[in-house]
Amino acid sequence: MRHLMNPLDFTVEELEKLFDLANDMEKNPDRYANVCHGKKLATCFYEPSTRTRLSFESAMLNLGGSVLGFSSADSSSAAKGESVSDTIRVISCYADICAMRHPKEGAPMVAAERSKIPVINAGDGGHQHPTQTLTDLLTIRSLKGKLGGFTIGLCGDLKFGRTVHSLIEALARYDDVNFIFISPEELKVPDYITQMLKNKNIGYEEVISLDEVIGRLDLLYMTRVQRERFFNEEDYIRLKDFYILTKEKMKAAREDMLVLHPLPRVNEISVEIDDDPRAAYFKQVQYGVYVRMALIYTLLGLEQGGDKAC
Ligand code: CP
């Protein structure tokens, strides 16, 4: 039985296979319309979500399976004090696979250790968001035709943004990738990430100004300032509009630069950019369904004709 806690749980070769499968599912939906018939996905979300929870549910329904779950800690027995370990033992009796989001870093890992079914980390605190990274990689691969040879700028809240942490670790495995981290001093990328890049001899720069570097980027990954991870509201208010990508700023960007964003967006990308052909963030949403379809199929062992469920 296999879980997904971190994008690095899959080798680069396994990811290629997963993305090929996702592309095949996109092209041939009928071929996969009943492959999960009789299987159930539980979505256990202790933190708010629109995309991740609903794209998991949409993915399972596209595969002919069923879904059950809860969308907040308050509507589960966590509100009465039940532990994640106990909850997953219970869910293992109801479902064949579980996607879990939790505000505490490592909670899905704790669940995986006690689970009888595959557990997917759907975001744990400010730590990791592996299925967003699979979404981002599939989007880049599908729109650019490759995953290496890029200068990628990551802009905004690089401290608390779990999507950023997962994406940097994942992209660092591809050839000829350089990073430009664009953030205010208080929201710099954590040291463990820059140390990892130094150890691998991968080039990175840390800058404050987006305007100074936007013309050098192949990919611009914008992020929201993560209000829910701040200890005080004043700091959030001071930093929340530090970066706003506008039509004017996009004039300095390359014609083929992609703008990515995990969403939800607050103010950091002006809506006037949405019609720019370089805006790829709503395409990401669609790719998120295909890659989660491929992930469910793979973790359930259906490619081997097997059954990983209890
Ligand atoms: N990208 C993402 O994780 O969005 P949600 O919080 O809406 O799931």
Side-chain angles (χ1 to χ4, degrees), residues 6-210:
N6 183 308
L8 304 189
D9 292 348
F10 279 59
T11 64
V12 168
E13 291 73 28
E14 286 172 326
L15 286 184
E16 284 300 304
K17 219 171 134 202
L18 190 82
F19 298 147
D20 287 343
L21 177 60
N23 286 146
D24 194 49
M25 288 174 157
E26 176 187 3
K27 287 193 195 95
N28 303 293
D30 292 348
R31 193 182 291 163
Y32 299 93
N34 285 304
V35 290
C36 281
H37 179 71
K39 302 286 184 200
K40 293 191 253 337
L41 164 77
T43 51
C44 299
F45 276 56
Y46 296 82
E47 237 190 14
S49 168
T50 296
R51 270 147 299 276
T52 311
R53 187 170 67 83
L54 296 182
S55 64
F56 263 116
E57 296 189 359
S58 176
M60 190 50 152
L61 296 173
N62 288 346
L63 298 170
S66 311
V67 297
L68 67 162
F70 54 85
S71 58
S72 72
D74 286 350
S75 63
S76 78
S77 283
K80 297 180 242 172
E82 185 167 62
S83 68
V84 163
S85 298
D86 283 359
T87 300
I88 195 66
R89 290 185 75 169
V90 171
I91 298 293
S92 296
C93 300
Y94 301 152
D96 301 288
I97 187 164
C98 173
M100 177 178 286
R101 170 170 290 188
H102 203 287
K104 285 204 180 130
E105 302 184 355
M109 175 69 91
V110 171
E113 282 165 6
R114 299 308 300 262
S115 181
K116 293 190 168 65
I117 59 174
V119 176
I120 300 165
N121 177 2
D124 62 327
H127 184 217
Q128 294 280 344
H129 194 343
T131 63
Q132 181 62 48
T133 296
L134 300 185
T135 301
D136 300 337
L137 295 181
L138 177 64
T139 306
I140 295 167
R141 200 186 82 142
S142 301
L143 299 182
K144 288 284 192 184
K146 58 180 188 172
L147 282 166
F150 293 124
T151 296
I152 175 166
L154 296 107
C155 178
D157 185 349
L158 309 187
K159 179 180 180 183
F160 296 118
R162 57 194 173 197
T163 62
V164 167
H165 306 156
S166 292
L167 183 59
I168 297 167
E169 288 191 329
L171 279 175
R173 297 195 293 183
Y174 294 90
D175 290 338
D176 194 21
V177 172
N178 292 290
F179 295 95
I180 303 184
F181 301 133
I182 309 147
S183 74
E185 194 63 32
E186 295 98 321
L187 299 178
K188 279 170 74 171
V189 76
D191 289 343
Y192 79 88
I193 302 262
T194 49
Q195 193 56 52
M196 177 273 294
L197 295 175
K198 277 182 200 151
N199 293 344
K200 292 177 146 219
N201 234 356
I202 295 173
Y204 75 89
E205 292 169 48
E206 294 183 285
V207 301
I208 295 175
S209 166
L210 173 59

